[in-house]
Amino acid sequence: MTNALEAAQLAKNYNNHIALHPLELQIPPGQIFCLLGQNGAGKTTTINLFLGFIEPSSGQALINGVNVAKNTDITRQAVAYIPEVVHLYGNLTGVENLDFFNRLAGFRFSPKELKAFLLKAGLQEEAHEKKLGGYSKGMRQKVGIAIALAKNASVILMDEPTSGLDPKATLEFNAICRELSDQGKTILMATHDIFNATSLGHRIGIMRDGHLKHIVDASGITAEGLQQLYFESIG
Amino acid sequence: MKKTGNILTIAKKEYREALRNKILWLFAGITWLLIIFAAFAGWQRQEGIHIQKQKATALFRHEWEEQEANPHSAAHFGTYLFKPSSVLEVYDHGLNSYLGNTYRVEAHVQHEVNHSEAEHADTNLRFGELSVATVFQLLLPLMILLLSFSSITREREGNTLKILMIQGGRPARLVWGKLLGIYAIVLTVVVPALLLLSTPLMAADIQPDSLLRFTLFSLTYLVYFFVFTVIGICISAISRSSNTALATSLGIWVLLAVLLPRATIRWIDSAYPLPSRYEFNRTMSQAYQQGMNKDGTSSERWKKFMQETLKKYGVDTVTKLPVNFDGLAMQMGEDYNSKVYDRFAGQVEQLIKKQQTRLEQWSILNPFQAMQQLSMGMAGSDYFHHLYFHHQAKSYRDEFVRTLNLDLANSGSAYLSYNYTVGPDFFKRMKDFTYQPPSLKEVIRFHQWSLFSITFWCGLSILLFIPLAIRLIKI
């Protein structure tokens, strides 16, 4: 079976600086993979390589077996992206925001269908017709999720999506991620939250200075154990 | 299909977002208020001037017709001609506030067009006049830049730029979509204003080409606004942050609207200096007294003319002439004076035309300067229209004085006797001055460099700025 996400000797240099050392990583469909590491460890570089925003210096990033750098248009059709801060458009309502991003991707949905996606992403109905400028960060994340749902993306790349969320919002966010995973969607998530990584991820990777130091199964490790490993790795 | 669809989706989003933005309505409100204010002030001013000119013209004509006088005294009494103002001048005063609008017709003297408003409108001009043209040329580009400087940096700072790209947006579609959306906003603000400004042109008693001139006036401004929309968006595309984009946009505005025009004018002034009024007058009076090209002094010319005239009629003294020699001699003096004037004023005119050509050529570097020239050209308040009036007024004057001198000459009155008079019968027969404004074609030919500049900048925007921004856009 083809891996949903695969890094084959994927590396990135900027002038003299090595942002990512040759990386080997396979993530099968339906898996949630959490990437831990300090700022500058290479997490965002990895995600940007899969998104096709930067070109690899060597190696390949593959999505569903397709080389991202060579077929960015094709791989992007399968991908959704949820950044740390999802501002979207404050003057537009939740429905209008979702409609806009769907139309860009070539989909048109009725208002009813759009609301169904927002509901599915966990956004309460009262908020649908309100301007996004008044949303909390958690609510805006949900619009981001709805964009991914409406696109029916098989791979969702997230860059520190839960930082700044309150505990309840984080819990809700995790529940949606699990549901997506159950439906066979693959999630690669960069995060700083060790406890969240153990509770949500199937596998966890720890990065440092552009190296992927460890990959552990979440089932085989406790939060405390992971924390210890994390500090040893980044030591 | 998807490509244009995406551009439209982005444009519509941009438009809808902006319409809900309070800042836009603040901008639009200020713009509309200023335009309405400037237009009303302009109309009022125009109406006042128009009535004054009409009254004065009627008064002078009445005085003229009702006099009982020697034709030469009447020539001294003379009259005044007023530069007629066009309807569009209300929107762009151009040079008219600084150039005169009154032409004195008088025997022996070749006048300039004098009495500018600047001479007696101190506060108004010290603080700069507000006109529709000022709002269009200076304020709107600034507002357009303020509307567009963050159009792309904001998407980058809010992380929507990446989501846009993941959802199938491309740099080219993004830039074109933004351009379409923001230009639609500009049109939403400007088009109602232009429609309002066009209403006085629907009146029946208007110069036939006014509507055409106003259409061109409007179209060139719309192209001008398009260029600034492109500049704002392209700056946003290649800037790292909204702050940088804002600083760059304001810098470009100051450069185009404030620094470059002044630098150009300083350079032209020093490259083609004009003689002072004192120098000019002295040269002219010397040329008249001493004569040009060995024509002899004025008394020598007079003697020569007398001898020629005596010979022509075959008599030996002026008193035996069948004509009053005084009238002929004075006309001879007028003809010579006119020749002197044409030569020296012509030199100055050539110099000013050269300055004007340089100014228009330099406008290739600056759409603001090109727009300034085109706008006042269409409005009829530029140097070309001024010159056009002056030439017609001068030929009217020369003909006017000639009629009077020749009447004196053929009056049968004795040489150097001043009891001959004519009355209303004669004076009523003298034609009124009618001004024939230049055709649109001539105006465009005069401002061809500026028209080229605006077209050039529009081409540059589409063929260079946009492709460059698409290439250099930072995702």
Side-chain angles (χ1 to χ4, degrees):
Chain A
M1 192 174 176
T2 322
N3 283 309
L5 287 168
E6 183 173 350
Q9 292 301 303
L10 180 65
K12 181 69 190 172
N13 313 328
Y14 291 105
N15 299 326
N16 301 323
H17 170 70
I18 299 170
L20 187 66
H21 288 275
L23 172 73
E24 276 296 325
L25 179 67
Q26 289 86 32
I27 307 173
Q31 193 169 81
I32 301 178
F33 192 97
C34 294
L35 268 181
L36 287 172
Q38 288 184 295
N39 291 334
K43 308 189 299 286
T44 300
T45 304
T46 309
I47 287 179
N48 277 338
L49 283 163
F50 278 116
L51 290 172
F53 287 129
I54 48 181
E55 278 194 32
S57 306
S58 61
Q60 292 182 351
L62 303 157
I63 290 179
N64 300 326
V66 181
N67 186 340
V68 174
K70 291 216 171 88
N71 305 285
T72 315
D73 290 344
I74 296 170
T75 57
R76 278 184 184 172
Q77 283 173 17
V79 165
Y81 171 60
I82 298 182
E84 178 184 353
V85 185
V86 191
H87 275 309
L88 303 182
Y89 306 111
N91 275 333
L92 305 183
T93 66
V95 174
E96 285 168 343
N97 266 288
L98 180 57
D99 187 42
F100 168 66
F101 285 106
N102 281 332
R103 277 168 191 266
L104 268 189
F107 306 120
R108 283 176 188 217
F109 294 106
S110 66
K112 222 172 127 185
E113 289 169 306
L114 292 170
K115 285 181 179 189
F117 285 121
L118 288 172
L119 270 181
K120 213 166 153 193
L123 188 72
Q124 64 271 34
E125 207 167 350
E126 310 88 80
H128 293 186
E129 299 287 359
K130 288 200 179 122
K131 286 188 188 170
L132 219 76
Y135 280 25
S136 68
K137 189 188 168 186
M139 289 160 80
R140 292 201 305 263
Q141 290 289 32
K142 285 169 186 170
V143 180
I145 299 265
I147 294 170
L149 288 175
K151 193 183 185 183
N152 199 19
S154 63
V155 172
I156 306 174
L157 298 158
M158 304 177 172
D159 201 351
E160 300 180 26
T162 54
S163 67
L165 287 189
D166 64 54
K168 185 167 170 277
T170 308
L171 214 65
E172 282 175 9
F173 188 81
N174 286 352
I176 296 163
C177 288
R178 270 189 213 102
E179 209 175 301
L180 289 170
S181 152
D182 291 343
Q183 289 163 16
K185 319 271 188 213
T186 312
I187 295 176
L188 172 63
M189 181 194 290
T191 181
H192 286 302
D193 189 337
I194 292 167
F195 294 91
N196 202 31
T198 44
S199 71
L200 177 64
H202 297 118
R203 283 196 301 160
I204 298 153
I206 301 175
M207 293 190 81
R208 184 197 165 186
D209 295 338
H211 292 280
L212 182 59
K213 294 289 229 187
H214 292 281
I215 298 180
V216 291
D217 268 346
S219 55
I221 196 161
T222 59
E224 289 77 13
L226 181 63
Q227 191 174 23
Q228 206 176 352
L229 182 66
Y230 178 75
F231 284 123
E232 280 168 15
S233 320
I234 66 163
Chain B
M1 185 58 219
K2 188 178 171 192
K3 188 176 167 180
T4 49
N6 261 349
I7 292 174
L8 285 179
T9 307
I10 293 170
K12 274 187 208 157
K13 190 270 301 180
E14 197 65 24
Y15 189 72
R16 181 184 282 181
E17 238 193 319
L19 286 189
R20 294 183 190 171
N21 189 345
K22 288 192 188 82
I23 306 267
L24 171 76
W25 293 111
L26 183 74
F27 283 175
I30 293 174
T31 308
W32 285 331
L33 265 177
L34 285 175
I35 288 173
I36 290 171
F37 181 76
F40 272 110
W43 280 324
Q44 225 168 20
R45 172 177 170 275
Q46 172 101 331
E47 192 62 26
I49 293 175
H50 185 66
I51 291 172
Q52 273 183 9
K53 281 180 185 169
Q54 262 184 336
K55 272 189 185 162
T57 306
L59 177 73
F60 291 138
R61 185 70 198 176
H62 180 76
E63 283 181 347
W64 179 253
E65 289 178 351
E66 294 307 312
Q67 65 185 331
E68 180 74 38
N70 178 277
H72 188 66
S73 320
H76 270 279
F77 182 65
T79 190
Y80 289 89
L81 306 179
F82 299 101
K83 188 155 85 180
S85 33
S86 71
V87 207
L88 289 177
E89 225 187 284
V90 170
Y91 305 142
D92 192 341
H93 315 326
L95 303 175
N96 275 357
S97 305
Y98 305 95
L99 299 171
N101 52 42
T102 309
Y103 182 81
R104 172 90 172 102
V105 174
E106 192 186 3
H108 308 304
V109 191
Q110 290 279 351
H111 281 284
E112 301 289 316
V113 186
N114 287 324
H115 299 290
S116 73
E117 259 176 88
E119 290 168 27
H120 47 81
D122 177 48
T123 40
N124 198 8
L125 291 167
R126 190 146 32 118
F127 295 108
E129 267 180 309
L130 179 70
S131 71
V132 172
T134 337
V135 176
F136 278 1
Q137 284 163 19
L138 290 171
L139 200 70
L140 267 163
L142 183 64
M143 288 193 173
I144 290 170
L145 290 175
L146 288 178
L147 276 179
S148 51
F149 82 91
S150 68
S151 56
I152 292 173
T153 47
R154 200 177 52 224
E155 301 265 9
R156 187 177 310 117
E157 284 156 352
N159 272 325
T160 39
L161 193 52
K162 281 188 177 173
I163 302 181
L164 276 173
M165 294 300 137
I166 300 282
Q167 293 295 104
R170 303 276 167 73
R173 296 172 193 174
L174 177 70
V175 172
W176 279 107
K178 290 273 173 187
L179 179 60
L180 225 60
I182 295 178
Y183 193 58
I185 298 162
V186 174
L187 291 181
T188 307
V189 176
V190 172
V191 170
L194 287 174
L195 288 177
L196 174 79
L197 295 178
S198 76
T199 49
L201 299 167
M202 304 304 166
D205 60 332
I206 237 152
Q207 287 159 17
D209 68 345
S210 289
L211 211 58
L212 190 59
R213 278 171 179 248
F214 182 75
T215 311
L216 263 173
F217 177 86
S218 306
L219 285 179
T220 39
Y221 271 114
L222 291 181
V223 174
Y224 179 67
F225 299 149
F226 176 80
V227 169
F228 276 93
T229 313
V230 171
I231 291 176
I233 290 170
C234 290
I235 289 173
S236 196
I238 61 174
S239 295
R240 241 169 235 293
S241 71
S242 294
N243 288 341
T244 329
L246 179 61
T248 315
S249 301
L250 291 181
I252 285 187
W253 184 82
V254 170
L255 180 75
L256 298 183
V258 183
L259 295 179
L260 265 179
R262 277 155 186 77
T264 317
I265 290 189
R266 272 200 81 92
W267 178 77
I268 288 171
D269 249 356
S270 58
Y272 303 94
L274 293 178
S276 71
R277 168 65 64 189
Y278 170 73
E279 259 175 82
F280 177 72
N281 286 344
R282 203 185 48 179
T283 322
M284 288 236 296
S285 89
Q286 259 175 7
Y288 183 78
Q289 297 302 334
Q290 309 299 323
M292 307 181 290
N293 313 325
K294 300 184 180 140
D295 286 342
T297 63
S298 64
S299 54
E300 284 164 2
R301 293 195 305 270
W302 188 84
K303 270 182 205 145
K304 197 174 152 207
F305 180 67
M306 185 176 72
Q307 259 132 36
E308 280 168 11
T309 313
L310 291 176
K311 204 171 148 195
K312 188 174 155 197
Y313 287 96
V315 291
D316 52 6
T317 59
V318 284
T319 43
K320 286 185 185 163
L321 283 169
V323 291
N324 186 339
F325 181 68
D326 209 12
L328 292 182
M330 279 190 291
Q331 187 51 40
M332 186 274 294
E334 283 293 345
D335 288 342
Y336 201 78
N337 195 22
S338 179
K339 218 164 101 182
V340 170
Y341 184 83
D342 281 346
R343 177 168 165 188
F344 292 99
Q347 284 172 358
V348 175
E349 214 176 278
Q350 285 311 313
L351 212 54
I352 297 180
K353 272 190 177 161
K354 225 175 242 169
Q355 290 187 335
Q356 183 74 30
T357 308
R358 288 287 171 272
L359 191 65
E360 303 243 351
Q361 285 168 342
W362 277 94
S363 79
I364 297 285
L365 293 181
N366 187 354
F368 168 76
Q369 280 165 257
M371 196 60 237
Q372 237 180 357
Q373 290 300 326
L374 283 174
S375 175
M376 61 176 139
M378 291 305 138
S381 54
D382 60 341
Y383 179 65
F384 180 64
H385 282 79
H386 182 77
L387 210 59
Y388 217 79
F389 168 76
H390 190 183
H391 286 169
Q392 284 183 33
K394 182 183 179 289
S395 15
Y396 177 81
R397 179 224 168 262
D398 287 353
E399 205 43 51
F400 183 92
V401 176
R402 178 192 307 280
T403 310
L404 294 167
N405 281 334
L406 293 186
D407 182 74
L408 181 66
N410 297 318
S411 62
S413 63
Y415 180 56
L416 295 179
S417 71
Y418 297 102
N419 44 14
Y420 167 70
T421 58
V422 279
D425 275 356
F426 171 78
F427 291 116
K428 270 184 186 156
R429 264 185 288 137
M430 288 190 65
K431 264 194 280 172
D432 249 335
F433 173 66
T434 46
Y435 171 63
Q436 202 56 50
S439 73
L440 194 55
K441 223 169 142 185
E442 290 171 278
V443 178
I444 288 173
R445 196 177 311 130
F446 188 77
H447 292 294
Q448 53 188 344
W449 282 101
S450 296
L451 193 65
F452 174 72
S453 163
I454 287 285
T455 321
F456 171 74
W457 275 83
C458 182
L460 210 62
S461 297
I462 295 172
L463 301 174
L464 181 70
F465 296 165
I466 294 175
L468 212 61
I470 290 168
R471 266 185 77 94
L472 298 177
I473 193 170
K474 296 180 169 71
I475 301 296

